[in-house]
Amino acid sequence: MVKILIIEDEFAISQVLKAYLQKVNYQVEQAYDGEEALNKFHTIYPDLVLLDVMLPGKDGWEILREIRMESNCPVIMLTALGEVNHRLEGLNEGADDYITKPFVADEVVARVKAVLRRSQADHENPIKRYGQLEINIRAHQVILNKKNVTLTPRDLSVLMFLAENPNQTFTREQLIEHVWGWDYEGSDRAVDLAIKRIRKVLNTWPSSEGEIKTLRGLGYQLRVNQK
């Protein structure tokens, strides 16, 4: 049975989430502060964590950093903070998704299912190889021509998403939804800038093996040679 750890200090919210997650047959554990959260994380080894930002003791950012030092367990951040910089902080620190309060419990369940599906796919086939380009989804590592490639967390997320869906075209809006999150409030120009930076880093990747293509009026795709 899939185990979910809810780290939320507001008892009523935690209980609502627990009820909805149990309804779809998830096993649920709860923690109400930072110390209890880390103790339970190391005890039950959850398959996914729902993590509130504002907690007594250690806050959500500290807990997320400690989890990421030892585990790739999927983490969805829960917070009442709605500013873009807070969302970006969570995603750049390694969160898998970000949900702003107030939220609809059914939507949280849907997002949990989506993140678990992505996580399962990553574990089944974590390494994508396209000629000289190798992308390790689980390790968040990119190797080109046998050398490590350095990307910002956001650009890495864009490249990994495209690599998991080769030869498929995605609009700016679709990339924002999948990578930045549905509640991103910035300009869609962020997608163009990310693609530009990724292309610069991958400029030694032979075009005969693949490239990031722009399809005018449609969007972007990672075109790869499937031979």
Side-chain angles (χ1 to χ4, degrees), residues 35-224:
E35 184 176 353
E36 182 186 14
L38 289 171
N39 286 338
K40 286 203 171 181
F41 183 83
H42 294 126
T43 301
I44 69 170
Y45 301 102
D47 296 291
L48 182 140
V49 174
L50 286 171
L51 175 57
D52 187 29
V53 170
M54 306 301 290
L55 292 167
K58 292 185 178 182
D59 66 18
W61 305 132
E62 293 179 86
I63 295 170
L64 176 61
R65 282 191 287 270
E66 293 200 30
I67 289 174
R68 282 293 167 261
M69 287 175 65
E70 60 185 88
S71 172
N72 288 320
C73 174
V75 177
I76 299 178
M77 305 299 290
L78 302 173
T79 180
L81 302 173
E83 293 83 355
V84 171
N85 63 310
H86 288 294
R87 288 200 296 276
L88 293 180
E89 181 177 357
L91 293 169
N92 287 338
E93 288 286 351
D96 295 86
D97 204 350
Y98 191 108
I99 302 175
T100 303
K101 299 175 184 177
F103 47 73
V104 177
D106 281 328
E107 181 192 347
V108 176
V109 173
R111 302 278 279 274
V112 165
K113 289 180 177 179
V115 170
L116 285 170
R117 281 196 300 270
R118 291 200 299 269
S119 177
Q120 180 64 32
D122 291 350
H123 280 80
E124 289 174 354
N125 187 19
I127 299 177
K128 312 295 180 183
R129 291 189 180 91
Y130 304 117
Q132 296 298 308
L133 180 65
E134 178 179 306
I135 302 170
N136 190 319
I137 304 297
R138 189 183 305 165
H140 291 76
Q141 182 181 45
V142 179
I143 297 174
L144 178 59
N145 301 322
K146 299 182 180 180
K147 295 181 180 179
N148 284 323
V149 171
T150 301
L151 293 161
T152 66
R154 174 67 64 239
D155 294 354
L156 177 58
S157 294
V158 172
L159 179 58
M160 289 195 302
F161 177 75
L162 292 173
E164 290 179 286
N165 301 278
N167 297 325
Q168 296 183 48
T169 304
F170 296 93
T171 64
R172 290 187 184 94
E173 292 76 16
Q174 287 172 323
L175 287 171
I176 285 173
E177 179 181 349
H178 286 285
V179 178
W180 278 258
W182 65 272
D183 53 353
Y184 171 70
E185 296 175 355
S187 168
D188 62 6
R189 280 280 296 158
V191 175
D192 302 334
L193 294 173
I195 294 294
K196 183 178 180 180
R197 290 190 296 267
I198 295 168
R199 282 174 171 157
K200 185 176 180 179
V201 169
L202 300 183
N203 65 347
T204 60
W205 188 28
S207 58
S208 60
E209 296 178 355
E211 62 180 323
I212 298 179
K213 289 185 64 69
T214 302
L215 283 76
R216 190 172 299 277
L218 295 176
Y220 296 106
Q221 72 167 231
L222 182 69
R223 184 198 64 77
V224 298

